[in-house]
Amino acid sequence: MMLSRRMTLGGAVALALPGRVLADAVIPQRASARVIIDNDFAGDPDGLVALAHQLLTPKTRVVLATSSTLDPKMSGGIAGAAAGAKLALELMRQGGITPVPVEAGAESFGDGAAQITRAAHAIVAEAMRDDPLPLFITCGGPLTNIAAALRLEPRIAKRATLVWIGGGRYPEGGWEYNLNCDLASARQVIERSAIPLWQIPQNAYRLIQMSNAELRLRMAGASPFGRWLYAQFTHPPEFIDVGGSWPLGDSPTVLLTAISQESSMSVERLARRILPDGRYGEEIAGRNIRVFETLDARLTFEDFLALLALRQQG
């Protein structure tokens, strides 16, 4: 088809004035799921990036955020869950985001009474609430709060899907922070509950990285909120030797719940028992889980950076 002079000029104007096009042409979207976000927000800042992304996307409705604690050897003595809850609220304030309920979870790992906290009760209350939207529980840290909620009310296993960043490569497994910090809670969720589980193991979530230059140019350059998020990366613990990139391994929770599952590759597997060193043991008959093996990093990051820029444009 031959383009008229008018159409050509119109296209040039559209390219020259992207703000006008963005204002006049919006793809309609509505939330298709609720999300409870559980993470150790006071740890690696990738949890804050995932929280910001989930809060900004129009495809899910965040109904609750719960914070988990940190390995005492890495936390410097801070109360990790309480500090994480404060950071989550500060993130919403910095982003001008209408706050959602935030609850601090247990300050210790394990499967005892100390882990039944306000966070566990809040997870149960939301899961048992009648709502037409399906519920995802996303977890980017140890499974402490999720296991506590399942012990408190086992029926939530039929009312939510858990998306967890954790565990080693299949089939051998091995040491992995989110798993080994709280083996008891991981066993409770994987071996003794029937909650549908989408697992993103270490070999998959390590694919999700941005270079330090990208973080500075594109995240910090997107908006004042992006600059605040970038600032969380600029004071790592002294024992970390920062390389040329930063893993953003918690972001797949947003990719899979709000953007696209089809762009990544997963396989259905039988869950395996967890050995004391984090390796996987024998298969558990009848306990099927969905394990993601490759993830679409480009789609994940471009969506997030675009959402930051669009929010800045208003």
Side-chain angles (χ1 to χ4, degrees):
M1 182 178 75
M2 183 176 293
L3 295 177
S4 68
R5 178 177 175 81
R6 180 181 179 87
M7 292 174 68
T8 303
L9 288 173
V13 171
L15 290 172
L17 299 174
R20 178 181 298 177
V21 175
L22 291 173
D24 295 340
V26 178
I27 298 172
Q29 291 179 283
R30 62 178 182 272
S32 56
R34 295 171 291 148
V35 178
I36 294 172
I37 303 171
D38 182 84
N39 213 318
D40 48 357
F41 298 116
D44 193 306
D46 64 336
L48 295 174
V49 172
L51 174 63
H53 195 174
Q54 197 88 63
L55 288 164
L56 291 177
T57 178
K59 282 304 296 177
T60 55
R61 173 161 55 89
V62 178
V63 291
L64 173 67
T66 56
S67 62
S68 56
T69 195
L70 304 171
D71 184 333
K73 297 188 294 294
M74 302 176 66
S75 67
I78 67 170
K86 290 179 181 178
L87 263 176
L89 288 169
E90 177 64 11
L91 178 147
M92 296 175 211
R93 189 184 72 81
Q94 291 286 340
I97 298 167
T98 302
V100 303
V102 177
E103 297 289 354
E107 295 292 0
S108 60
F109 300 121
D111 58 358
Q115 283 70 46
I116 305 295
T117 61
R118 289 174 60 92
H121 281 278
I123 292 170
V124 169
E126 180 59 37
M128 297 304 294
R129 187 173 65 82
D130 289 330
D131 192 295
L133 292 180
L135 177 64
F136 286 108
I137 302 173
T138 66
C139 180
L143 286 163
T144 310
N145 294 330
I146 317 305
L150 283 162
R151 291 196 302 274
L152 187 64
E153 178 48 87
R155 290 181 297 168
I156 69 172
K158 295 182 178 180
R159 300 179 67 90
T161 297
L162 173 62
V163 184
W164 179 48
I165 306 289
R169 178 193 298 270
Y170 278 85
E172 63 273 16
W175 189 94
E176 189 277 328
Y177 177 84
N178 290 346
L179 172 66
N180 284 72
C181 269
D182 197 345
L183 291 170
S185 290
R187 291 184 180 117
Q188 169 69 27
V189 172
I190 296 170
E191 299 181 12
R192 297 193 288 275
S193 90
I195 190 168
L197 173 60
W198 298 358
Q199 183 179 355
I200 301 100
Q202 187 178 62
N203 57 293
Y205 72 68
R206 280 185 170 172
L207 299 173
I208 308 299
Q209 301 191 30
M210 287 184 73
S211 76
N212 296 331
E214 286 180 298
L215 286 171
R216 183 178 180 186
L217 179 67
R218 301 196 62 200
M219 183 184 293
S223 67
F225 184 35
R227 285 195 293 277
W228 182 87
L229 284 169
Y230 173 74
Q232 309 312 305
F233 291 83
T234 61
H235 43 81
E238 290 186 3
F239 63 84
I240 293 181
D241 181 12
V242 179
S245 66
W246 200 293
L248 297 178
D250 291 345
S251 291
T253 56
V254 191
L255 171 69
L256 301 178
T257 60
I259 307 173
S260 172
Q261 299 161 27
E262 292 77 10
S263 68
S264 302
M265 294 182 61
S266 66
V267 294
E268 292 289 328
R269 294 185 178 274
L270 284 174
R272 291 176 174 269
R273 301 200 180 277
I274 300 169
L275 303 178
D277 59 359
R279 290 182 300 117
Y280 300 132
E282 63 181 354
E283 293 179 337
I284 304 171
R287 178 58 162 133
N288 293 318
I289 60 175
R290 185 177 180 184
V291 178
F292 282 83
E293 298 187 333
T294 63
L295 299 158
D296 193 332
R298 186 212 66 84
L299 183 59
T300 305
F301 293 141
E302 291 299 332
D303 183 73
F304 177 56
L305 295 168
L307 286 169
L308 283 176
L310 287 169
R311 188 169 183 85
Q312 174 68 8
Q313 291 187 17

